[in-house]
Amino acid sequence: MNLDTARKRWMTQGTISFLLFGTGLSVVFDAAYRRIAEAHWEIWAAEGTLGLILLMTGLAYFGSSVRYLVHMDR
């Protein structure tokens, strides 16, 4: 893998990871607020599940972007 390919993949996956992680964190906090505000459990449970999925997907993309960062260092 050459340096330009690793840099391009690092930038794209890093950007995607931070967007997904931030969105997931916001959705989880909104679901927690809905639970405290005593909304219907179906709403906050579905929203919390979606938020956790986004959060974990963001972490997975972050791990993948770190792999390309290591390729760039070598």
Side-chain angles (χ1 to χ4, degrees), residues 1-14 64-74:
M1 175 176 299
N2 62 11
L3 183 63
D4 292 333
T5 304
R7 181 175 288 130
K8 183 178 178 182
R9 289 184 182 173
W10 173 67
M11 286 296 289
T12 56
Q13 289 193 358
S64 182
S65 70
V66 168
R67 178 181 60 171
Y68 292 115
L69 183 64
V70 169
H71 282 297
M72 285 176 15
D73 287 341
R74 285 199 276 159

Side-chain angles (χ1 to χ4, degrees), residues 13-55:
Q13 289 193 358
T15 304
I16 290 170
S17 73
F18 285 118
L19 288 174
L20 285 174
F21 186 79
T23 303
L25 199 60
S26 296
V27 171
V28 166
F29 283 150
D30 188 55
Y33 175 75
R34 286 182 190 265
R35 183 175 183 201
I36 292 171
E38 297 180 2
H40 294 287
W41 74 269
E42 295 93 356
I43 294 172
W44 63 259
E47 189 177 12
T49 303
L50 176 67
L52 288 175
I53 290 170
L54 290 172
L55 189 96

